[in-house]
Amino acid sequence: AALVAVDYQELQSVTATAGATGKDAPQLHDEAPGNLCFDWEIGDAAAVEAAFAKAAHVARLDLVNTRMVTNAMEPRSAIGEFDPGTGRYTLHTSSQNPHVIRLLLAAFVLHIPEHTLRVVSPDVGGGFGSKIFHYAEEAIVTWASRKVGRPVKWTAERSESFMSDAQGRDHVSRAELALDKDGAFLALRVATTANLGAYLSSFAPLVPTYLYGTLLAGQYRTPAIHCAVKAVFTNTVPVDALRGAGRPEATYLLE
């Protein structure tokens, strides 16, 4: 390690959700022009527009659902081991989701039959969502164990966890509610910009879409709803499921 010399070049960055698609924002990925990951919508836009046209009252609200940083009781840790006698791998990892880790690691990273990889999750030490995903360290220790011919262990330091564990939320939204003269709901219109961080995490696109847009009725009777979500890349930690995954964001906006 002492032989490695790193030469850093400081580049422009964008961290603000609202400014990620601005004309002056630096471009993160060539395949995502304007830092737009996807533009998604659900609901009946025409019915919502018609309801707003006849509404006696319209309430409008701009909301920021701030980014949440995960902080589990025990930092993430992983041990990769390869047995040359059987050709099988074993990964011990503090994951909430060993079956999905085995599927993704075998099929898409190591390119090996799934039955040749065993994933063991001992006491996890908390997670609340942040230990569901497939992290790079799990892949690295497993791959490296075969390369060096011995088990390889990694444990995150507390400061590392703040920069590597998937975070949550980070929405900027405008909500509009159409009501009749008696205050009954006619329609709800929501436009949200969702910050996904620098790269996509395992379930990141699901959280601000189907786990969010489909819950905007809540416990209320709302005849027409339309939700539009623009997901953006920024120079921040990737975002994924955390404590409810999309449902808290929807409930916060609605209430």
Side-chain angles (χ1 to χ4, degrees):
L3 297 176
V4 177
V6 181
D7 183 21
Y8 291 101
Q9 180 184 2
E10 186 173 339
L11 303 175
Q12 285 188 311
S13 63
V14 56
T15 58
T17 304
T21 58
K23 292 182 179 179
D24 297 329
Q27 177 71 41
L28 271 69
H29 306 294
D30 292 338
E31 62 271 28
N35 298 324
L36 183 65
C37 179
F38 59 78
D39 192 344
W40 179 90
E41 62 180 282
I42 193 170
D44 191 335
V48 168
E49 189 65 34
F52 272 85
K54 67 178 183 181
H57 308 283
V58 175
R60 293 182 174 89
L61 192 61
D62 292 320
L63 292 169
V64 174
N65 199 320
T66 55
R67 175 175 287 247
M68 303 290 287
V69 177
T70 57
N71 191 19
M73 184 184 302
E74 296 175 2
R76 290 188 297 112
S77 185
I79 302 173
E81 185 174 2
F82 176 72
D83 183 347
T86 63
R88 293 176 179 268
Y89 294 86
T90 300
L91 169 66
H92 285 78
T93 178
S94 56
S95 171
Q96 299 170 244
N97 210 354
H99 297 88
V100 167
I101 303 306
R102 184 178 67 172
L103 169 64
L104 298 178
L105 180 55
F108 301 110
V109 181
L110 298 176
H111 303 290
I112 60 174
E114 192 174 342
H115 72 272
T116 63
L117 171 63
R118 182 181 182 223
V119 176
V120 181
S121 287
D123 294 338
V124 172
F128 298 112
S130 68
K131 293 183 179 179
I132 292 177
F133 328 114
H134 185 23
Y135 286 98
E137 295 87 0
E138 295 163 330
I140 291 168
V141 297
T142 309
W143 175 86
S145 66
R146 179 169 185 171
K147 201 73 174 176
V148 302
R150 60 189 299 177
V152 177
K153 178 182 179 180
W154 169 84
T155 301
E157 296 179 352
R158 180 61 63 189
S159 57
E160 261 186 317
S161 293
F162 282 111
M163 297 184 290
S164 64
D165 293 6
Q167 299 176 358
R169 317 284 193 260
D170 209 338
H171 286 190
V172 175
S173 302
R174 163 157 281 208
E176 299 175 285
L177 183 66
L179 306 99
D180 67 14
K181 60 182 178 61
D182 298 318
F185 294 2
L186 298 177
L188 175 67
R189 182 162 52 204
V190 175
T192 293
T193 301
N195 188 346
L196 298 182
Y199 306 97
L200 287 181
S201 183
S202 300
F203 306 107
L206 175 65
V207 178
T209 54
Y210 282 103
L211 295 184
Y212 169 70
T214 59
L215 273 79
L216 287 171
Q219 69 270 43
Y220 304 105
R221 184 184 296 110
T222 308
I225 301 175
H226 182 260
C227 176
V229 177
K230 294 183 184 294
V232 297
F233 288 118
T234 64
N235 295 103
T236 59
V237 178
V239 166
D240 212 308
L242 172 64
R243 292 296 277 171
R247 292 82 150 186
E249 294 93 307
T251 303
Y252 171 67
L253 182 144
L254 187 61
E255 294 303 331

